[in-house]
Amino acid sequence: MLATPRGRVGLTIVLVLLAAIGLAWATGAGWWKKAPDPLSADQPNDALPADIEAQVHGFCAACHQYPAPDTFPRAHWRAEVERGYRFFEKSRLPLKPPHLEHAVRYYEDRAPADYPAPPGAPASGPAPKFEQVSFPPPPGSKTWISHVQAVRLPPPGVVDPAAIAREPFTLVACDMEGGRVLALRPTDPAPAWKTLATVRNPARVEVVDLDRDGVTDLLVADLGSFLPTDRLLGSLVWLRGKRDGSYEPIPLLSYTGRVADVRAAEFCGSGKLDLVVAVFGLHDTGEILLLKNQTTDWSKPQFERRVLDPRHGTIHVPVADLNGDGKPDFVALISQEHETVVAFLNEGGGTFRKKILYTAPHPGWGSSGIELTDVNADGRLDVLYTNGDILDEPHLWKPFHGVQWLENKGDLDFEYHRVADMFGAHRAVAARITGGKLPDLLAVSFLPVAKFPDRDRRRPDAITLFEQVAPGKFVRHPLAIGACDAVVCCAADVYGTGRPDLVIGNFGAPNTDAPVTIWKNMGK
């Protein structure tokens, strides 16, 4: 069954898969984290060396941010340290580690017995009212939505921006489990999901006219494996739009690590659209690629492949002109042990200069997504950022998960601000949902019941609206509690009421077959 993800999966198998895969489509984290055998039979009972703190700091920080002892409760540090030493053995780095038992005792002696209880959510005022609307999936396997967006898909040949702006919104979604790219127009007389194309494990779709023939195309980032792996199964698929409204799948990149994102822009200044590709991979594979467009005949597209960053773990690579020089730049969220947000500044000719915008305080931060958006409406693009990857073993309620933003102060200086703690925060977007002058934030959480069986008792926020009442000041409105089964969301005026509606993707929720649910905004 796992080798053929398009097959129908019974409820029991679905729950087993949900327990096992969780965030595999986006982060791949958690699968390798099985407690290894002890690395040494030597169990020293002597006092810790006087310089043990310096030893641990130097050893851990050689590869990533130093993980403080309060990152995990005391009972879990042995497994974490043993896991780290296993990775060190594979890395072949020329380092002298502290004795494993000394490192374990260092952390256990300083770690808390448990995470502190999170503070209660502040009281909130009235939120907009919503009416929930959903539609059955197309025939086939249960849908697990890894990405959804509301876009205007014009008829073939329509290129005038004003005409495109009059088109109704279409929901385009990636079905990770069924291996399908789906579309639905909610304002149709009889809305129904249709399959635009089959792709093994689609993670994200970029809507763009790649060959500039006046027909909208789709670029699909394909993980190539539902399960995390370092096998070269990822791909980038161009769904070339045809005049009859169908799409022709054309591979642009194959035999690579698991691809999590792709964006298009004229990076090289040739007048052609180049591509930046986030190859998440897993541990031994993964990188950020530039595909320089050298196509002269679109029946045989040609792209030159360049490695811009060799690190694995990149989730998103949104594009913008960050420094106002007229050339497109991009920002990468690099997760795994790196946990950093990096700007890639376009210096022309396919070369980029890197600038770190933020690095998380420890390697277990659990980065899950970024969005470039003007959070405080000051005319500068900020970075909206969630950290909530929760399927790393052990499966814990991590109080440091939540929603934050990096405020663009100008001159590529970004200042960190926390919006709120939120268990399993997986995705956030900004829109004027409450009708105010400032954007509000919508966030969704992923805490699958198979790994968090006490979620009904703990009642975490599943869908949360953060109303921005003053620049950088937010009031929390929990819209749904407990059923934390979404990894993606978006906001758009789907029904043309002048109010942004909420679109929530279902990633294997056990209580519904609907691919997405539209929360129709009825106003306050």
Side-chain angles (χ1 to χ4, degrees):
M1 183 64 70
L2 297 182
T4 55
R6 293 183 181 83
R8 178 170 293 278
V9 183
L11 178 60
T12 301
I13 299 299
V14 167
L15 292 177
V16 170
L17 282 172
L18 181 58
I21 67 166
L23 302 186
W25 63 273
T27 68
W31 289 89
W32 47 269
K33 292 191 171 181
K34 296 179 180 179
D37 296 331
L39 293 177
S40 172
D42 224 353
Q43 305 291 324
N45 294 316
D46 55 321
L48 292 178
D51 65 342
I52 184 61
E53 184 167 4
Q55 289 187 39
V56 171
H57 272 261
F59 178 59
C60 295
C63 298
H64 49 68
Q65 289 287 99
Y66 161 74
D70 61 0
T71 306
F72 286 95
R74 184 178 304 128
H76 301 288
W77 266 114
R78 174 171 292 278
E80 290 300 314
V81 172
E82 290 177 347
R83 183 175 303 125
Y85 274 60
R86 289 293 189 195
F87 278 113
F88 167 66
E89 283 187 335
K90 291 177 62 179
S91 73
R92 302 185 182 277
L93 290 172
L95 300 174
K96 181 180 179 181
H99 195 289
L100 181 138
E101 289 300 321
H102 288 162
V104 169
R105 286 165 54 193
Y106 167 84
Y107 277 105
E108 289 181 343
D109 289 350
R110 291 161 175 78
D114 203 351
Y115 287 128
S124 62
K129 293 180 172 36
F130 297 93
E131 176 185 312
Q132 296 185 43
V133 181
S134 61
F135 308 94
S141 60
K142 183 178 176 68
T143 52
W144 291 21
I145 300 302
S146 55
H147 180 241
V148 65
Q149 58 186 312
V151 296
R152 302 186 192 274
L153 291 180
V158 175
V159 296
D160 177 59
I164 294 174
R166 291 192 293 269
E167 285 292 314
F169 278 107
T170 296
L171 303 183
V172 177
C174 293
D175 173 13
M176 175 64 63
E177 198 279 336
R180 299 174 291 188
V181 177
L182 304 174
L184 176 140
R185 182 171 286 183
T187 55
D188 280 351
W193 289 100
K194 65 178 181 179
T195 299
L196 302 182
T198 57
V199 177
R200 182 179 288 180
N201 299 113
R204 192 186 178 279
V205 166
E206 172 87 335
V207 179
V208 63
D209 183 2
L210 181 63
D211 55 0
R212 291 176 165 168
D213 66 348
V215 181
T216 301
D217 308 312
L218 306 176
L219 292 169
V220 185
D222 176 23
L223 290 179
S225 172
F226 205 27
L227 306 180
T229 180
D230 274 315
R231 296 174 64 194
L232 302 180
L233 300 176
S235 68
L236 171 60
V237 181
W238 174 31
L239 299 180
R240 186 178 190 180
K242 301 172 70 174
R243 294 284 170 179
D244 63 1
S246 65
Y247 295 87
E248 176 189 5
I250 300 173
L252 299 182
L253 179 66
S254 302
Y255 304 108
T256 190
R258 298 159 67 240
V259 177
D261 195 8
V262 57
R263 310 289 172 119
E266 291 184 24
F267 290 113
C268 299
S270 66
K272 301 176 182 178
L273 289 174
D274 310 296
L275 308 176
V276 61
V277 183
V279 183
F280 186 96
L282 186 56
H283 302 130
D284 299 326
T285 61
E287 58 205 345
I288 299 174
L289 297 175
L290 174 68
L291 299 187
K292 184 177 181 180
N293 193 339
Q294 297 185 324
T295 302
T296 56
D297 177 1
W298 281 104
S299 66
K300 299 177 181 179
Q302 293 184 344
F303 290 83
E304 176 190 325
R305 171 175 171 162
R306 298 184 184 179
V307 176
L308 301 182
D309 194 294
R311 287 174 286 186
H312 59 273
T314 300
I315 299 174
H316 290 140
V317 284
V319 174
D321 181 3
L322 296 174
N323 52 11
D325 66 355
K327 296 191 290 290
D329 313 303
F330 69 93
V331 177
L333 174 59
I334 308 176
S335 64
Q336 297 288 63
E337 71 271 24
H338 311 294
E339 300 295 336
T340 187
V341 180
V342 182
F344 285 73
L345 303 171
N346 192 342
E347 297 191 321
T351 62
F352 293 81
R353 175 172 60 90
K354 302 177 192 179
K355 178 177 173 55
I356 296 174
L357 305 184
Y358 175 77
T359 297
H362 58 79
W365 193 240
S367 295
S368 51
I370 58 171
E371 184 92 2
L372 299 185
T373 184
D374 185 0
V375 172
N376 56 353
D378 67 352
R380 292 189 291 262
L381 283 177
D382 310 298
V383 181
L384 181 57
Y385 174 27
T386 51
N387 68 306
D389 176 0
I390 44 69
L391 284 189
D392 288 352
E393 294 180 0
H395 307 294
L396 303 173
W397 296 83
K398 297 179 179 179
F400 50 81
H401 281 174
V403 181
Q404 53 256 292
W405 64 296
L406 308 180
E407 180 185 2
N408 187 343
K409 308 292 285 187
D411 296 325
L412 296 172
D413 177 27
F414 286 75
E415 181 180 343
Y416 176 90
H417 300 282
R418 187 73 163 183
V419 175
D421 299 332
M422 185 176 180
F423 291 121
H426 201 86
R427 195 78 174 100
V429 295
R432 289 179 170 81
I433 299 167
T434 61
K437 295 181 179 180
L438 295 170
D440 309 302
L441 306 181
L442 170 68
V444 294
S445 168
F446 185 62
L447 297 162
V449 68
K451 291 299 183 185
F452 294 86
D454 56 342
R455 74 180 191 181
D456 289 342
R457 176 181 61 81
R458 297 190 64 145
R459 296 178 56 78
D461 287 5
I463 303 171
T464 306
L465 170 64
F466 295 99
E467 181 181 4
Q468 191 169 189
V469 295
K473 304 295 181 183
F474 298 88
V475 174
R476 185 173 191 147
H477 301 287
L479 303 182
I481 301 293
C484 303
D485 296 307
V487 299
V488 69
C489 60
C490 68
D493 184 9
V494 173
Y495 291 101
T497 63
R499 298 182 296 267
D501 306 299
L502 316 181
V503 182
I504 312 298
N506 160 33
F507 195 71
N511 58 347
T512 180
D513 285 329
V516 303
T517 300
I518 303 171
W519 291 55
K520 188 175 181 180
N521 191 341
M522 311 302 290
K524 288 189 175 181

